[in-house]
Amino acid sequence: MAKPSPGAGQVLIKVGGAGVCHSDLHVMEEDLGFTPPFTLGHENAGWVAALGQGVTTVKEGDAVAVYGPWGCGRCHACQLSLENYCENWAQMDGFGGGLGLDGGMAEYMLVPSARLLVPLGDLSPSKAAP
């Protein structure tokens, strides 16, 4: 797989760790409304590898965890940082990385917005992911 390039507002993460949990089995074995193919991995952390145009809240090399569910970022729930209650999920292709969209069980992961990143400081991404 080719290394993705971030578009405007997106952040490319070099994956340092991806947790595996029972939810991954549900994603693989049950019809949850996700359309394959996509890369699994919804518990992810790594380092910022590249920034899309307009991203200013993180910088290359920052260690970050990736918030699991991804919402639209515009509705009331998302504005309150309650992405898992996004009011517009029905219009989206998936619920997040590894949940219908490409996740962190790969070398790189494309995150749609820096708002979905949590700074790790000195914590190792490989220890933070699971």
Side-chain angles (χ1 to χ4, degrees):
M1 173 185 233
K3 180 178 172 183
S5 295
Q10 298 178 330
V11 180
L12 182 66
I13 303 300
K14 179 163 180 42
V15 176
V20 177
C21 76
H22 198 85
S23 297
D24 293 305
L25 295 176
H26 293 296
V27 170
M28 292 186 316
E29 297 174 355
E30 298 177 25
D31 181 8
L32 300 177
F34 306 138
T35 305
F38 59 90
T39 304
L40 290 174
H42 62 274
E43 298 174 353
N44 308 297
W47 300 270
V48 174
L51 303 172
Q53 181 181 5
V55 177
T56 60
T57 56
V58 294
K59 65 182 185 315
E60 289 186 23
D62 284 354
V64 294
V66 181
Y67 187 73
W70 297 348
C72 70
R74 298 177 308 278
C75 72
H76 182 71
C78 287
Q79 291 296 307
L80 294 173
S81 297
L82 299 170
E83 303 269 340
N84 51 326
Y85 295 105
C86 178
E87 298 158 19
N88 297 309
W89 268 6
Q91 294 127 22
M92 299 172 63
D93 294 330
F95 296 142
L99 302 170
L101 302 169
D102 285 335
M105 291 188 188
E107 186 176 1
Y108 290 95
M109 178 180 184
L110 196 56
V111 179
S113 173
R115 77 176 189 286
L116 300 168
L117 302 176
V118 179
L120 293 178
D122 293 332
L123 183 60
S124 165
S126 63
K127 293 183 191 256

